[in-house]
Amino acid sequence: MDFYRSPKQISAFNAKFEAQKIAFAPITFQVARCLLKYEVLAYIDQHAENDRQMIATHCSLSEYAIGVLLDMALSMGLIWQDIKGYHLDKIGHFLLHDEMSRVNLNFSHDVCYQGMFELDQALETGQATGLKVFGDWQTIYPGLSQLPDNAKKSWFEFDHFYSDHAFSAILPMIFQSQPKTIVDIGGNTGKWALACTQYDADVKVTIMDLPGQLKVAMENAKAQDVDDRVHGFECDLLNADTPFYSGGDLYWMSQFLDCFSQEQILAILTLAREHMAPHSELCILETFWDRQPCEAGAYCVNATSLYFTAMANGNSRMYHSKDLLKLISLAGLYVDEDIDEIGLGHTLLRCRRKP
């Protein structure tokens, strides 16, 4: 679905209000985070009758601190108030209870918030200049295992939340062709590889990734007692001379190509085609912003693009499906099957070598 629309029917007064929300967005974001951190929303949710003093006592904050948070929460529409006290409004309910909202908020705060101050520099230079808040890396990927614990936890929860929701639907599709060997390109912690070994007792999976990620993945495979069927293949796909696993039955790229620029994607897909056997297929799982089932999905996907700009590498993004389809064709591949609305807005592209 494309979200190209004529201007929304909104009054100038309301439009100006929306502009003020954007102007104060960094402040309201932190208010929401603190309302969750200090369990203010949770207390209100659990106690139909309350007042500021009761909330302050429970949350171990002063009445002043609770006062400024609650007043802003009222203006944000997170809560409402009557004679009995404060109550969650619908937005506050989802902020408290919705897993997607929690995962997105933690990712934004722990991974992106400080570095986003450098977004203008990232846009001008094409480099992830915000990444310096964590370390001296050109991209975030070699440093994932070295991120602070809270940032690492939030990064992997964000990554896995979206991919894991697609696993149950995707696994039967992947094993329709009964692959004996799967090559998981960019396998991270090995979660997909382990899911494959649980689904099929005979399949063997090779994970292609950087050394830091492979170390974690292989530790996880050993812990699951499948290290005899899960193997690591060290590579750096930004290096033109990197080795590439040849002849696998099925090559798998999940939420992987969005980590690269269009030029890099073309090089990676071309390399994959060169090492695929005639019978091999390449399965690509992505969240395209133009194929989301609702506008909220497109909003989240497009926001994620700015993480890549400022924090991840400076030159990749969440793509429009037409851009990736063009690159697939230029690499000498064709899409044999194209399936939308898997999990939380994923698309599966099953690709084969052109004759």
Side-chain angles (χ1 to χ4, degrees):
M1 182 184 297
D2 284 326
F3 298 106
Y4 303 110
R5 297 181 176 173
S6 59
K8 295 181 178 179
Q9 296 300 313
I10 182 172
S11 69
F13 182 85
N14 287 334
K16 187 171 183 178
F17 183 26
E18 292 301 317
Q20 307 322 302
K21 291 180 183 179
I22 294 172
F24 284 101
I27 295 173
T28 57
F29 175 88
Q30 290 298 343
V31 168
R33 187 183 70 85
C34 288
L35 288 166
L36 292 170
K37 176 181 178 179
Y38 295 109
E39 299 183 351
V40 178
L41 295 185
Y43 183 84
I44 291 172
D45 189 40
Q46 295 164 9
H47 297 81
E49 297 188 12
N50 57 69
D51 57 35
R52 290 191 178 190
Q53 184 177 9
M54 294 166 61
I55 298 170
T57 299
H58 172 78
C59 300
S60 300
L61 291 174
S62 68
E63 285 194 51
Y64 161 80
I66 287 297
V68 293
L69 288 176
L70 290 175
D71 288 351
M72 193 64 231
L74 287 167
S75 289
M76 293 166 65
L78 303 182
I79 59 175
W80 58 280
Q81 186 180 18
D82 64 11
I83 194 170
K84 293 182 179 180
Y86 297 94
H87 313 277
L88 288 191
D89 215 327
K90 289 180 181 178
I91 300 173
H93 170 86
F94 283 106
L95 194 62
L96 178 63
H97 295 292
D98 177 52
E99 186 181 4
M100 179 186 290
S101 299
R102 178 187 63 80
V103 167
N104 287 344
L105 185 143
N106 289 341
F107 176 76
S108 294
H109 180 260
D110 295 331
V111 179
C112 302
Y113 199 87
Q114 288 180 285
M116 277 296 162
F117 191 76
E118 301 288 333
L119 178 60
D120 54 348
Q121 293 298 311
L123 292 167
E124 292 172 12
T125 64
Q127 298 178 355
T129 50
L131 185 56
K132 63 188 178 186
V133 301
F134 293 127
D136 186 23
W137 307 296
Q138 187 174 1
T139 71
I140 199 171
Y141 308 109
L144 281 177
S145 60
Q146 304 171 56
L147 290 177
D149 288 343
N150 61 332
K152 187 191 309 182
K153 180 176 183 290
S154 293
W155 191 97
F156 282 109
E157 282 186 351
F158 180 81
D159 182 71
H160 290 160
F161 175 78
Y162 290 97
S163 60
D164 289 5
H165 276 82
F167 278 9
S168 59
I170 284 290
L171 282 165
M173 298 179 189
I174 293 304
F175 282 92
Q176 280 177 358
S177 58
Q178 298 180 326
K180 298 187 185 321
T181 58
I182 293 177
V183 183
D184 184 1
I185 303 174
N188 253 328
T189 61
K191 212 164 187 185
W192 168 256
L194 297 179
C196 288
T197 60
Q198 292 167 6
Y199 189 87
D200 187 304
D202 298 316
V203 72
K204 294 183 179 180
V205 185
T206 297
I207 301 175
M208 292 178 56
D209 215 323
L210 297 167
Q213 280 85 310
L214 283 181
K215 182 176 182 294
V216 175
M218 296 313 299
E219 288 173 353
N220 290 337
K222 186 174 183 179
Q224 295 290 324
D225 198 28
V226 290
D227 50 320
D228 59 328
R229 292 195 289 137
V230 177
H231 307 284
F233 188 96
E234 186 175 318
C235 68
D236 179 358
L237 290 172
L238 292 178
N239 182 347
D241 298 323
T242 195
F244 201 99
Y245 190 92
S246 296
D249 293 332
L250 186 144
Y251 289 81
W252 173 253
M253 297 180 181
S254 174
Q255 297 179 183
F256 174 71
L257 292 177
D258 49 50
C259 301
F260 302 93
S261 68
Q262 291 200 41
E263 294 79 8
Q264 292 166 343
I265 291 173
L266 180 57
I268 291 168
L269 290 175
T270 301
L271 195 60
R273 184 202 178 280
E274 291 172 352
H275 288 82
M276 289 168 63
H279 72 279
S280 301
E281 66 174 329
L282 168 62
C283 290
I284 298 170
L285 187 70
E286 281 293 345
T287 46
F288 299 115
W289 74 262
D290 62 298
R291 296 206 185 177
Q292 296 306 298
C294 62
E295 194 168 1
Y299 188 95
C300 293
V301 173
N302 280 330
T304 304
S305 283
L306 280 303
Y307 146 76
F308 286 107
T309 304
M311 303 302 300
N313 52 42
N315 59 13
S316 75
R317 59 167 299 158
M318 309 301 288
Y319 287 97
H320 192 291
S321 60
K322 291 180 180 178
D323 293 329
L324 191 56
L325 290 171
K326 180 181 178 180
L327 294 171
I328 288 170
S329 181
L330 288 173
L333 299 160
Y334 71 93
V335 176
D336 192 37
E337 191 174 15
D338 184 332
I339 307 171
D340 285 330
E341 295 192 27
I342 300 169
L344 296 173
H346 284 77
T347 294
L348 177 66
L349 303 175
R350 302 187 80 127
C351 308
R352 294 190 179 275
R353 292 171 48 175
K354 287 182 180 179

